[in-house]
Structures are given as C-alpha cells and as structure tokens.
Amino acid sequence: MSASATVWQTARFRIDLSRPRVMGIVNATPDSFSDGGRYRDADAARAHCDALVEQGVDILDIGGESTRPGSVAPDVDEELARVLPVVRHAVTLGVPVSVDTSSPEVMRAVLAAGADIVNDVRSLLRPGALEAVAAHPTAGVCVMHMRGEPATMQSLTDYDDVVAEVAGFLRERAAALEAAGIARERIAADPGVGFAKTAAHNLELLARQRELLDLQMPLLVGWSRKGTLGQLTGRPAGERLAASVAAALMAVERGARIVRVHDVGATVDALKVWSAVACCRRPAA
C-alpha cells in the first residue's frame, strides 16, 4: 500500500490506516435490506451506536436512505429527521462519524452537527454535493462506483472489464474532487459491491481487488450481508454472518483499509486474529 493511503483525514480525526478499520452500519431507515427498519426509531439507532462502540467499532456510518436495489430516496426533510438526532448523539462517542448520504442539504447539516465523513454512493455527482464537501476544510469523503440509481442500477451491468471500469470511474471522481479543492488525503474509494453489478462482477472485483490499490486512495469495501453472499450460501440476509466475515477478511487481505459491516463484534474479533498472523509473517528467502 502506498504511503499516501496510510491516513484518512476527516473533520475531527486523522484515521490511522496502518491497520484495517471497521466501519459499523447504523441504518436509520424503515426499509433496509438487511435489518428491516430495526433502528428506524432514533432511540433505537442511538442505542445501536452505543452498542457498536462497545463492540470495538472504529467508525460509525449512519444512513437515512436505503440504497438497496429498487429503493426510492426519501425527501430531504425526511432524511434529515432520520439522521440528525442520531448524528448529534454519535459525535459524542469518541469515534469518527460518517453519514451515508447523497443530498447536499443533508451533507451541510450533518457536517455542521459535527460529522466527520460524507459517504456518498453517488460520488458527489448531485448538483451542489461537491461544493458542500469542498466548503468544509477537512471533512473526509468516500466516493463509490454505481451506475444509474438504486431503482435502475441492476439493469446497468454491461461491462467489458468491470475492474478497469470501476477504477477509471473512481480515478475520475477523485480528480474532480481534487480540482474542487478537496485534498487527496481526505478521499477514500469504494468499488460498490452490489451496485450495478452481477454476482460474477462482485466476485471478480474481490479476486482482483489489489489492482485498485493503484488508485493511491484507501479502499473502503462493503460486502456485509450482500446478495452475492446469499446466492453463494443460499442463506437470507440475517444468516450471512460467516460469509460476511469471510468476505471482509478477503477484502482486507487484498488491501482494503476499511470494511463496512453490520456485524461489528464478529468482524473486529476476526481481524484481531488476522492481524496477529499478519504481524508474524516473514519475507520469503
């Protein structure tokens, strides 16, 4: 991994990426594919933040819009009502806080409330989004590869070389962010597992993930409970713990610095074992 990818600058934290970090998902939505609105109530979402911190989470990622295939985005007022009460609590917990949003209005509001990172599945392509993040002096941002919108993305899966095309898109978005004044150390990249991709594309992205390290940005990867794991195992979303942890470990083995997960405690434990073994490795003679 390049030296430029060993730190992620965010609003309040310079996140040390010399070891892999776990980003815990807090879905403040009524229609998440994975937890079915379990944390849609603000009190439940705040308690979930507390629980993830106790489990060893490195970054909290709060979202008020479901981006599962076929989903429809909420209006701005509804998204703000879902995420702001949770963000205001999360920023008191001593860990970086990310907000999963594409709305410029939501970006400005959560950054003003103390959030550290904007995690945008649409890569700041909505009008005003790039400017909203660029206006903050240090906020982190994650750009992700997706085609179309969640409602249409699974009809847009025609690639000649999925890895090369994902890399090209992420490289172009990083250049656009830098041109707007967002320093490279503030930017992470997500290949978008499950977003406008078939199961075969997702598996190819994981198999060839090291090629994405040439982007010279920290890789943030989210395999947790994804549909591809369901196709491989035959299990529903709530029963994909083992598959999710296995995918997270393979992503880290191939250079991911942040893994975005639902099952924080299990992933933290698995990475402790992985890190202990990784530290014992010796170069081949």
Side-chain angles (χ1 to χ4, degrees), residues 136-215:
H136 194 285
T138 57
V141 59
C142 182
V143 294
M144 193 195 80
H145 177 273
M146 177 175 70
R147 289 176 170 176
E149 290 288 319
T152 62
M153 63 186 179
Q154 290 311 112
S155 66
L156 303 171
T157 59
D158 183 22
Y159 299 92
D160 292 324
D161 183 333
V162 66
V163 178
E165 291 174 55
V166 166
F169 172 85
L170 293 172
R171 188 174 290 109
E172 289 175 4
R173 291 312 299 153
L177 268 61
E178 287 188 285
I182 300 171
R184 176 60 71 102
E185 69 174 358
R186 296 168 58 184
I187 308 170
D190 181 345
V193 173
F195 287 80
K197 298 169 188 75
T198 65
H201 291 141
N202 295 326
L203 293 170
E204 185 171 2
L205 279 165
L206 181 56
R208 296 171 54 195
Q209 185 183 283
R210 289 187 182 91
E211 296 175 34
L212 299 178
L213 299 180
D214 290 341
L215 293 168

Side-chain angles (χ1 to χ4, degrees), residues 44-59:
R46 287 188 287 255
H48 190 48
C49 290
D50 295 342
L52 295 187
V53 171
E54 290 179 4
Q55 292 169 30
V57 80
D58 295 299
I59 305 166

Side-chain angles (χ1 to χ4, degrees), residues 8-121:
W8 189 10
Q9 175 65 55
T10 73
R12 297 177 298 156
F13 299 85
R14 286 178 63 82
I15 302 173
D16 177 8
L17 300 178
S18 61
R19 69 170 177 86
R21 299 291 178 169
V22 174
M23 173 183 273
I25 298 168
V26 181
N27 285 319
T29 62
D31 52 353
S32 166
F33 86 94
S34 62
D35 48 35
R38 185 176 177 185
Y39 308 113
R40 65 181 297 178
D41 174 79
D43 287 339
R46 287 188 287 255
H48 190 48
C49 290
D50 295 342
L52 295 187
V53 171
E54 290 179 4
Q55 292 169 30
V57 80
D58 295 299
I59 305 166
L60 290 168
D61 189 47
I62 299 161
E65 174 192 353
S66 173
T67 51
R68 75 190 194 287
S71 61
V72 178
D75 63 33
V76 170
D77 289 342
E78 177 61 25
E79 188 177 354
L80 283 169
R82 292 174 182 177
V83 300
L84 269 178
V86 188
V87 169
R88 289 176 179 138
H89 174 70
V91 298
T92 70
L93 299 178
V95 299
V97 174
S98 167
V99 178
D100 185 351
T101 186
S102 298
S103 163
E105 295 87 351
V106 175
M107 292 175 191
R108 288 192 291 268
V110 298
L111 290 173
D116 301 284
I117 299 160
V118 169
N119 182 16
D120 185 5
V121 299

